[in-house]
Structures are given as C-alpha cells and as structure tokens.
Amino acid sequence: MKFNHQPMLRVSVMLAGIFALNAFAADGNSTQADEPANATSEPQTGTEAATNAEQPLPLGPKTCGELLDYAVTSVTTEITNAEPIQASVSSPWTSPDGGGGSVDVTSPICRIAGSIKPTRDSDIRFELWMPLNADWNGNFAGTASGGSNGYISYRAVNQHLSMGYASIGHDNGHRKEETDFALVEARKIDFAYRAQHVATLVGKEITEAFYDATPQYAYYNGCSQSGHHGMMEMQRYPDDYDGIIAGAPANDWTGTLAAEANAALAQWSNKGAGVSRDLLAKVGEKVLQSCDGQAGIDHLQDGMLDDPRKCNFDPASLQCDTQGADSTACLTQPQVQALRTALDGRRNTSGDILAMPYLAESLAGSFYPTDQTSPTSPQGSWANHWSYAVHGNPTYDFSNFDWPTEVAFARGKEGPSYDAINGNYSVFANQGGKFLMYHGWADSLIPASLSLQTWDRMNAQMGKEKVDSFARLFMVPGMDHCGGGSGASSFELMSSLADWVENDIAPDSTSVANTPIATREANTETGIEAMTRPLCPFPAIATYSGNGDVNAAENFSCSQP
C-alpha cells in the first residue's frame, strides 16, 4: 500500500553473513553533519515531505557506521550517532533512560540517533534500532511516548525490535523538562501531529538505506498520547502506515483534557472536596460490592466489570451519615459532589458535551485525581495544555475557569491541530489499512467513554459495514490506563494486526487462531492469582462457560451481552 510493495531483496546465506560482518565494521565515530542551511521557519507540509521522499536514494546497502554521514532527503535531518551494538542475552546493552526508563537489548543492532528539523525551530530527536539483516522481519514499526512527555519510549522501541522490526521512536519534539514547549508554535505543531509523520518518513528512508530493501509493511503501535499519534497518522497521513494500533488514544485531545480537568477541578476548586487515595480505594470496593456479579449488570463475580456503564453507582452510598464520622472511611457531602461531577461529565446549557464522564470503576485507579491534585501538580496534561497552548500564559489562574467558554475557545483555537476526530478514515481503509483500538474499562486517566465516543463517530461517519471491514475495538475489563488494574491487561496486538494486514485474518475472536489473549501475573504478596482472558471485539464480552477455572481463557468465549 504505502511502499510500492516490491519483492524483498533477499541475499544468500553467505552474502547475508558477509553483509552482517560489513555492517558492524565501522566504528561510527565520524564528524557530525552540519545543520542544513535550507531549514526554514515555516512548517513543511505532508505533500512537500512526500515529494522529497520520492527523490532517488544512493544505491547499495550502508554499513551502520556509514549511516552517520548519510544525507537524509525526505526531511531535514541531522544524524548524530550511528553505532553497531554488539548485544546478546549473556551481555546485554542497556539503553539510556531518557525519562521513560531504560531497557536491556539482547541482540545485535544498528542504533541510529539524530534530530529531525522540519522547521528551524524544530528539534525532534529520534532513535532507530535495526536488527541484523538475518533477524529483520522485512517490516518497519513506529511508536512514540505518552502524555505530554518529551522522551523516547525505549521500552516500546525495544518491544518492536524484539519482534524483528526496524523500530523507531521519538521524543515528540521537546525534552521532558520543557513543559513550556507549546509557547513555540513550531514545537507545538511537532507535538500535535508533525513529529510522528516526519519520524516515519526519516525512519523508512534510513531503513531502506541500511538494508538496501524497501520495508514490505509499516505498522504503528502506541497508547495514550502515543495512541493519539496513531489516530492522527490515520487522519492526516493515511499513506504512512499499513496498520495502526491505538490504545486509550486521546485522539480528542481537547475532550480528553477537559475530562481530566473536570475531575480534578471538582476537587481542587471546592473546599473539603479533595479525596485521598486511600478513601478512593474504599470507593472502588463499594463499586464492586454494588455491581460485580450482580444480575443484569455483570455476568461473573471476578473483581472487575464486563461493562461499567451498567453500574449505576452513586457516591452518596458512602456519604458520612453523622457529624463527626470517621472521614477516612466515608465521604463528606463536598466529596460526594466532586465524584458525581466526574461521573456525570459536564454539558453546557444547550446539552452539548463539554467533558465526557468517567466510569465508576475508574475512581479507584492509580491516575485518578486526589486531594493532592492541583493545577501545579496535575494528573495528566490538562493544566499545561490550558496554560501554555490554549492561553499562552504560564501563570493562568484556574480559579477563573469558565466551562462553556473555555472548552469552546480551546476547541476552536487548538482543536484543528490537536484533535483527530473527523471520524472518517476512508482513505486509510480504502488502501487496505487496518486499525485496532483498545481501552481499559477502568482507565482512571483517559475515560473509556472517549473511545466509545470515537467508535460511535466512526460508525456514524463511515457506516458499520465499512468500519467492520478495517477496524476493531477491544474494551478490556478491569484494565487501568494502558495497563495495570485488576484485570488481565497485558497483551500483544502487533501479531494480530500483521495477520490481518498480510493474511486477511481479522482478530474476531471466533477461533483459537484469531483470538488475542490478555494475561495477568500472579502476586503472592497481595493474593492476586494469575489470569488469562480472551480479548473480544466490542460490543462482545468474554463470557464464562460455567465450567473450569475462572482464571483460564479457554473457559471463556466472546458473546454478545
């Protein structure tokens, strides 16, 4: 689709061995390239970048060290490091931390690092890790980091590398400590949508130069703001990837941060409304007592809910009934109202949604705001976005936050750059692209209701038949933000996506072969047992057969609720 799929250039075993040795012969210590003089202050459009990408590449494979002097043609780029990494299981190489944690690489790779400069003010730092020719699966994978973070997600890059992909990640165009990046227009645009696109162009070009072969397929995989990048690629740059995975995607960036602000400000703005993490845990216990395994609400008592929208929980059920009651065990009236505000969401006088609601199971999650949350110590990216991007004012006073005007202003001013919400992805679908979206029902940062809204919008814009031809949504019981929580929340969807793109096998969970499996590890300290569960395409749920271990996936099937 995106690559003019030509047959992979395969070499004999002998030549592959020679190439592998040659690729690691250079020491990678040549002089860094100067910043190109043709960088401009104007954003490079997708069309311009695509045109540049069509320029002919030098013939023949490049060694890893030679790539330090490689002149990227697709987007102005400075390669600052090109080093062969001789890693193994017995002698791993540990990556830099970068802000998101380091990882151990256990196979030899060519590591490329550099900075992409689509404008003079841009500085999108990236790393591309490429396995030896013999270990390369012939494909390319992209990812990014979550939140407003400015670091390379080495964990995600390494995950794709371990599956044989030439794997790229980037830092969204700013550093972790640069919370004010949105005050610079170019860097704001890089973060909102451009960084992923140009990193993809550059990554593909360098991959082809290294292997002397065009990748057969390109896949994107990310969660949270990284998922937002995936949906932005599908909307703005449908030619970049053949398949996209977007978890808890925050594609409605304005709506996501409005929901986070609504939950946080409901506690912060009202005296005595803040709720401690310990008390929120008690709220979570009450939610499960009220709904888990209850007839007509949830089909199995297992510490999680099939669909928490069916749980009509009222925080008032935990309200202190007497003056002077133990405030560590019950909710005050202001606390009840604060949680109700988050569960109800927020609308204007015309009924238009300003902030999507959280679901009851989210209240006990590790990302949900507490009495310690404030505009200067937020959970999520809402405060920085409103201060820097929306108002351009680092000292913006949230006590003046007026819901109808603030959300409308943010949507109008920054929505065109940040929000991937048009709902019509026909160009991507018509080219054979496949899309997998997932979200934890118990997500305590980005409400699951936002992904359901996206799914409804897609079906309304494109029609159910068209959506079914290229997309699946997996709602994961008990899962918090991008993982964790009480449910089986560890799973790998890249194989399912590739199987759909390359072999036309959709992950419909109708057989062992096409059913993704989620796992939960045991924790002896907390008494948590290991668990496996099938992932079911929404609106189907994993239904217990009535026989066998309730923690074993083989005793569940996907059925309509």
Side-chain angles (χ1 to χ4, degrees), residues 402-461:
D402 179 70
W403 276 98
T405 58
E406 284 288 350
V407 175
F409 179 67
R411 184 78 74 183
K413 179 176 181 288
E414 300 298 338
S417 297
Y418 279 88
D419 298 341
I421 56 173
N422 70 16
N424 190 338
Y425 308 108
S426 295
V427 174
F428 177 79
N430 290 341
Q431 294 175 148
K434 305 300 181 186
F435 173 55
L436 302 181
M437 180 165 62
Y438 66 89
H439 209 131
W441 275 120
D443 195 317
S444 59
L445 183 61
I446 300 176
S449 56
L450 280 156
S451 282
L452 296 173
Q453 183 187 54
T454 294
W455 191 248
D456 289 344
R457 186 182 293 117
M458 288 173 59
N459 279 275
Q461 291 288 327

Side-chain angles (χ1 to χ4, degrees), residues 319-387:
Q319 186 167 337
C320 305
D321 54 9
T322 60
Q323 206 168 23
D326 182 3
S327 60
T328 64
C330 59
L331 298 169
T332 65
Q333 195 282 326
Q335 290 172 329
V336 168
Q337 186 55 48
L339 297 184
R340 279 177 171 171
T341 297
L343 294 175
D344 292 342
R346 193 177 288 269
R347 295 176 181 267
N348 62 18
T349 54
S350 301
D352 301 319
I353 295 173
L354 300 175
M356 290 293 286
Y358 280 81
L359 303 178
E361 200 175 9
S362 305
L363 300 178
S366 58
F367 293 94
Y368 194 79
T370 70
D371 54 355
Q372 302 301 308
T373 302
S374 73
T376 57
S377 181
Q379 111 290 3
S381 304
W382 59 271
N384 286 341
H385 180 71
W386 245 274
S387 296

Side-chain angles (χ1 to χ4, degrees), residues 228-285:
H228 165 265
H229 277 318
M231 293 205 68
M232 192 63 80
E233 284 287 294
M234 189 164 62
Q235 177 170 302
R236 284 180 175 266
Y237 307 108
D239 292 337
D240 280 358
Y241 289 96
D242 298 278
I244 292 171
I245 300 170
N251 55 298
D252 182 359
W253 190 253
T254 304
T256 295
L257 303 191
E260 292 177 4
N262 185 43
L265 294 178
Q267 296 189 45
W268 176 78
S269 301
N270 301 292
K271 186 177 181 180
V275 188
S276 70
R277 184 69 67 203
D278 288 343
L279 189 50
L280 285 172
K282 289 180 169 43
V283 173
E285 292 171 0

Side-chain angles (χ1 to χ4, degrees), residues 60-114:
K62 300 292 183 184
T63 67
C64 190
E66 286 175 339
L67 289 172
L68 186 63
D69 297 321
Y70 177 73
V72 176
T73 62
S74 52
V75 187
T76 301
T77 301
E78 178 184 11
I79 296 178
T80 57
N81 187 53
E83 63 173 325
I85 302 292
Q86 293 285 7
S88 65
V89 174
S90 60
S91 182
W93 172 76
T94 302
S95 75
D97 184 308
S102 60
V103 295
D104 286 341
V105 175
T106 57
S107 60
I109 64 169
C110 175
R111 178 196 179 203
I112 306 297

Side-chain angles (χ1 to χ4, degrees), residues 153-300:
S153 178
Y154 290 111
R155 184 173 288 106
V157 173
N158 193 43
Q159 177 190 7
H160 297 151
L161 173 77
S162 68
M163 301 176 75
Y165 291 92
S167 177
I168 197 167
H170 61 87
D171 68 355
N172 293 318
H174 62 273
R175 314 298 85 76
K176 184 178 182 181
E177 65 277 6
E178 294 173 347
T179 56
D180 61 350
F181 69 89
L183 295 177
V184 179
E185 183 67 19
R187 293 197 174 197
K188 180 171 65 176
I189 295 302
D190 289 338
F191 172 79
Y193 62 84
R194 186 167 51 203
Q196 190 61 53
H197 174 57
V198 296
T200 300
L201 296 179
V202 170
K204 289 177 181 178
E205 181 181 336
I206 297 174
T207 297
E208 182 164 353
F210 181 62
Y211 294 112
D212 194 23
T214 303
Q216 291 181 309
Y217 298 97
Y219 299 113
Y220 183 85
N221 181 19
C223 192
S224 194
Q225 202 283 124
S226 185
H228 165 265
H229 277 318
M231 293 205 68
M232 192 63 80
E233 284 287 294
M234 189 164 62
Q235 177 170 302
R236 284 180 175 266
Y237 307 108
D239 292 337
D240 280 358
Y241 289 96
D242 298 278
I244 292 171
I245 300 170
N251 55 298
D252 182 359
W253 190 253
T254 304
T256 295
L257 303 191
E260 292 177 4
N262 185 43
L265 294 178
Q267 296 189 45
W268 176 78
S269 301
N270 301 292
K271 186 177 181 180
V275 188
S276 70
R277 184 69 67 203
D278 288 343
L279 189 50
L280 285 172
K282 289 180 169 43
V283 173
E285 292 171 0
K286 187 68 173 179
V287 169
L288 291 179
Q289 289 172 10
S290 303
C291 299
D292 187 20
Q294 298 299 309
I297 300 176
D298 184 71
H299 94 284
L300 180 67

